[in-house]
Amino acid sequence: CEGAANGHRQQLPSMYHVCCECSANGAILKCSCHAAYYCGSACQQAHYAEHKYKCTDRLRKDIDKKQKVVERMKTQGSDAIASVELMLLEQELAQVHFKMARLIMEKLQVATFDEAETHCKQALHLHRNVEASRVTLRGDAARAAAGKLADKAARSGLF
C-alpha cells in the first residue's frame, strides 16, 4: 500500500485515497510519513505491524535516538567493552541509514534524492568508523571484550 502502485506517491483528494488495511475508498487518516492512508484508527493499528518496516518517519526517530546514544557513548570512557559496544551500535545505525535511503529511493521522489544521498553518506561514514574500530581493537583486551559481547553481536546479526 506504500505509495501508488507505480511507486509514486500521489497527492490526491482524500476521496481518492484507498485504505491500506481494508482497501476502502475515501481514506482520510494518514501516517506521519505520508505513505499510508487509512479509513480509521482501527485500520491504522491493524496495519501497523506491516507498515512499521516501511515508515520513514519511524526510521527518522530511530536514527535520532541511536545517534544520541552514539554521541553519549563517545563522550564517556573508552574501555575495550565500551569500544566494542560503540562499534556495534555504529554498525546498527549505518544499517538504519541504508534502509532509510533505500526506502526514500523506492518512493522515487526527486525532491528527496538529496536526503537519500545524505543517508548513504552517513552510513558509509559509520561503516568506515566501524572498520577503523576493528583495526584498533585487535589486542587481548579487545578479544576479551568481544568474547563478553559475542552473544549481543550474534543476536543483532551484525557479524
Side-chain angles (χ1 to χ4, degrees):
C1 179
E2 313 303 321
N6 62 2
H8 294 278
R9 189 168 41 177
Q10 298 176 354
Q11 298 299 322
L12 300 172
S14 62
M15 64 184 199
Y16 295 110
H17 292 296
V18 176
C19 178
C20 289
E21 179 62 19
C22 69
S23 300
N25 288 326
I28 56 171
L29 184 64
K30 65 182 171 183
C31 178
S32 56
C33 71
H34 303 277
Y37 291 85
Y38 305 98
C39 55
S41 60
C43 283
Q44 185 179 24
Q45 289 172 1
H47 189 252
Y48 181 72
E50 180 182 336
H51 176 66
K52 69 181 180 181
Y53 299 107
K54 296 180 179 182
C55 182
T56 55
D57 189 55
R58 182 176 178 268
L59 283 175
R60 280 186 183 92
K61 290 175 184 175
D62 192 30
I63 287 171
D64 290 343
K65 180 180 172 185
K66 288 180 188 320
Q67 188 63 46
K68 287 176 184 174
V69 173
V70 165
E71 295 304 320
R72 187 176 64 238
M73 289 178 76
K74 285 183 177 182
T75 60
Q76 295 174 349
S78 61
D79 65 347
I81 292 176
S83 296
V84 172
E85 287 177 344
L86 177 62
M87 181 179 66
L88 290 171
L89 186 57
E90 284 184 325
Q91 189 159 358
E92 188 178 319
L93 183 58
Q95 289 177 342
V96 176
H97 274 292
F98 274 130
K99 182 175 182 177
M100 177 69 117
R102 182 180 48 79
L103 287 173
I104 291 169
M105 294 302 289
E106 283 177 2
K107 292 180 182 179
L108 298 174
Q109 295 176 329
V110 175
T112 59
F113 285 159
D114 289 340
E115 184 182 2
E117 181 181 28
T118 299
H119 285 288
C120 284
K121 286 180 179 178
Q122 186 65 29
L124 183 59
H125 173 74
L126 288 164
H127 275 300
R128 287 179 178 152
N129 286 352
V130 168
E131 289 305 313
S133 296
R134 284 184 181 154
V135 170
T136 304
L137 294 172
R138 293 198 188 230
D140 291 334
R143 283 189 210 102
K148 291 178 182 179
L149 295 171
D151 288 340
K152 183 176 181 179
R155 284 191 305 266
S156 68
L158 297 177
F159 293 107

